[in-house]
Amino acid sequence: MAKSDPSWSEVDDYIVQQLIGDDPVQDACLAANARAGLPAIDVSPAQGRMLELLARGVRAQQILEIGTLGGYSAIWLARALPDDGHLVSLELEPKYAAMARSNIERAGLADKVEIMVGEAVGSLAALEANEVLRFDFIFVDADKENYSIYLDYAVRLSRPGAMVVFDNVVREGGLIDPASSDPKVPGTRELYNALQNHPRVDATAIQTVGSKKWDGFLLGIVRDD
Ligand code: SAH
Ligand code: DHB
Ligand code: MG
């Protein structure tokens, strides 16, 4: 079976035209990132809008993102926040973080967004030590090798009822292909294994196609016990 189809992208174009419309701020973000040579592995517009709506749906005031890249998904998420809300986004690469800061500034969201530069596990340990923040919504989109570690942190750093979303959990079907050579697949499988009968998290995953490749989002809710 073919693993991509041009009509997926055409349907995404229709969805964006009908439901999202023009977005000069995000167009400028993607254009700046392309000029700077960042990889075009941001979420799609329809996925970004979905993240915004999910975060609004749980009335998120404190959002955590792991994997900022150039700030495209961070801008979608920050749009969900009330005036006094905050987004903390973690990024390994200083160059990507600098691009993200500039894009977020242009979007008028700089007062709501903090980017922490470095290995996410180090930033997460610092957030845990600080103990003040309790996140309502957590979006994980960084190195897939550490996904199950990020799940553990997400549970510890969230308030009961928080929503967690993981990107890239299908990998063009590589998830269930025993012969997959994708180095990111084992970490993703560890995430699914950790969530099988997880004591605190109810989860499901939805496959996605569109302007990006066949992939998927995993959604979970942290229970209050
Ligand atoms: N969420 C972004 C895309 C993120 S791409 C968007 O949709 O717009 C994944 C990002 O995770 C990359 O920028 C990469 O540098 C970052 N990353 C990879 N390993 C990391 C690590 N160990 N700690 C923090 N960030 C990491
Ligand atoms: C890759 C990472 C992503 O977060 C994504 O959405 C697509 C691709 C990658 O590292 O290949
Ligand atoms: Mg991703």
Side-chain angles (χ1 to χ4, degrees), residues 30-47:
L30 293 180
N33 292 347
R35 274 196 305 276
L38 271 57
I41 55 173
D42 346 68
V43 295
S44 73
Q47 291 170 340

Side-chain angles (χ1 to χ4, degrees), residues 54-142:
L54 289 171
R56 274 167 55 193
V58 298
R59 306 245 190 284
Q61 300 196 333
Q62 308 291 340
I63 301 178
L64 173 66
E65 175 177 67
I66 307 179
T68 319
L69 190 62
Y72 183 77
S73 55
I75 289 171
W76 282 111
L77 288 167
R79 286 172 170 173
L81 290 167
D83 285 346
D84 57 349
H86 293 106
L87 165 68
V88 178
S89 187
L90 314 183
E91 174 54 49
L92 176 63
E93 299 289 343
K95 176 185 156 183
Y96 297 173
M99 283 305 297
R101 287 196 182 104
S102 141
N103 289 323
I104 288 162
E105 172 85 41
R106 188 195 306 103
L109 294 164
D111 55 338
K112 290 182 179 173
V113 182
E114 180 193 351
I115 298 173
M116 295 175 72
V117 181
E119 285 281 354
V121 284
S123 301
L124 289 163
L127 287 169
E128 191 172 31
N130 153 353
E131 270 188 30
V132 180
L133 290 173
R134 280 286 169 265
F135 295 101
D136 312 291
F137 189 95
I138 301 177
F139 177 50
V140 184
D141 192 18

Side-chain angles (χ1 to χ4, degrees), residues 10-212:
E10 288 164 27
V11 172
D12 246 16
D13 292 345
Y14 177 86
I15 291 168
V16 169
Q17 196 185 313
Q18 292 295 315
L19 303 179
I20 301 181
D22 291 340
D23 192 341
V25 164
Q26 288 290 43
D27 290 348
C29 172
L30 293 180
N33 292 347
R35 274 196 305 276
L38 271 57
I41 55 173
D42 346 68
V43 295
S44 73
Q47 291 170 340
R49 176 70 167 160
M50 193 189 77
L51 291 172
E52 179 196 343
L53 296 179
L54 289 171
R56 274 167 55 193
V58 298
R59 306 245 190 284
Q61 300 196 333
Q62 308 291 340
I63 301 178
L64 173 66
E65 175 177 67
I66 307 179
T68 319
L69 190 62
Y72 183 77
S73 55
I75 289 171
W76 282 111
L77 288 167
R79 286 172 170 173
L81 290 167
D83 285 346
D84 57 349
H86 293 106
L87 165 68
V88 178
S89 187
L90 314 183
E91 174 54 49
L92 176 63
E93 299 289 343
K95 176 185 156 183
Y96 297 173
M99 283 305 297
R101 287 196 182 104
S102 141
N103 289 323
I104 288 162
E105 172 85 41
R106 188 195 306 103
L109 294 164
D111 55 338
K112 290 182 179 173
V113 182
E114 180 193 351
I115 298 173
M116 295 175 72
V117 181
E119 285 281 354
V121 284
S123 301
L124 289 163
L127 287 169
E128 191 172 31
N130 153 353
E131 270 188 30
V132 180
L133 290 173
R134 280 286 169 265
F135 295 101
D136 312 291
F137 189 95
I138 301 177
F139 177 50
V140 184
D141 192 18
D143 47 328
K144 320 307 168 196
E145 293 81 355
N146 281 323
Y147 264 20
S148 58
I149 293 172
Y150 298 150
L151 172 69
D152 291 344
Y153 271 108
V155 170
R156 295 206 297 276
L157 291 171
S158 60
R159 64 147 175 90
M163 177 173 285
V164 295
V165 177
F166 288 77
D167 192 24
N168 310 113
V169 298
V170 173
R171 309 284 312 178
E172 297 184 86
L175 174 67
I176 58 154
D177 178 2
S180 172
S181 57
D182 184 339
K184 298 174 165 69
V185 160
T188 308
R189 287 203 192 118
E190 278 175 39
L191 174 70
Y192 281 85
N193 289 338
L195 285 165
Q196 192 172 30
N197 306 313
H198 193 286
R200 295 282 313 281
V201 182
D202 297 325
T204 189
I206 292 291
Q207 303 185 67
T208 55
V209 297
S211 57
K212 304 280 167 164

